[in-house]
Amino acid sequence: MMSMNRIYPAVLATARTSPDSLFLDLGCCMGTDVRKLVLDGYPAARVAGCDLRHTFVDAGHALFANRDTCRTAFFTSDIFTLDLANPDPRAATPRPGAVRSLDELRAPPISAQLNYNIDAV
């Protein structure tokens, strides 16, 4: 669980100190971590979960029974098709919470904070 990571408090603090921040969980599966992040205070409109398979996103909505009430954006996309090395200078920076595709994140400047959540077996 992401909330067990030592930087989790700093991630939550970013919601207060950077009002334009967008938390993007790549490989969100059913969205358990981003739902916990919102529950702990990160604004849902500035959180997005992305997974390769829509079946995982659907399973998360079914598990949490919140398909119609969830304010967190979930979408499917393949990170390996995204060309981050060549940002599009004509692209507008997406409004937090409005991201529906990884391609929308190609606008410069992009500031990314990568957090790895590795569970020991």
Side-chain angles (χ1 to χ4, degrees):
M1 298 251 346
M2 180 178 60
S3 62
M4 302 303 287
N5 192 306
R6 62 183 167 83
I7 66 163
Y8 190 70
V11 171
L12 284 173
T14 301
R16 292 186 303 276
T17 60
S18 300
D20 290 332
S21 64
L22 170 64
F23 185 90
L24 175 62
D25 184 359
L26 296 172
C28 70
C29 196
M30 294 188 295
T32 304
D33 285 333
V34 292
R35 285 177 168 89
K36 169 75 169 137
L37 185 70
V38 169
L39 182 67
D40 288 344
Y42 210 103
R46 294 180 10 221
V47 175
C50 173
D51 203 273
L52 182 62
R53 305 277 181 238
H54 206 278
T55 54
F56 288 126
V57 173
D58 287 340
H61 286 306
L63 177 66
F64 292 99
N66 67 352
R67 181 179 306 280
D68 297 328
T69 59
C70 184
R71 293 185 358 243
T72 300
F74 288 98
F75 61 93
T76 56
S77 209
D78 184 350
I79 190 169
F80 295 110
T81 64
L82 183 62
D83 187 5
L84 287 176
N86 298 299
D88 183 351
R90 298 162 296 162
T93 302
R95 188 173 35 78
V99 176
R100 296 291 182 259
S101 164
L102 289 176
D103 289 326
E104 295 174 23
L105 298 176
R106 293 191 58 222
I110 294 175
S111 172
Q113 182 177 17
L114 297 177
N115 305 305
Y116 294 95
N117 182 21
I118 301 174
D119 295 321
V121 177

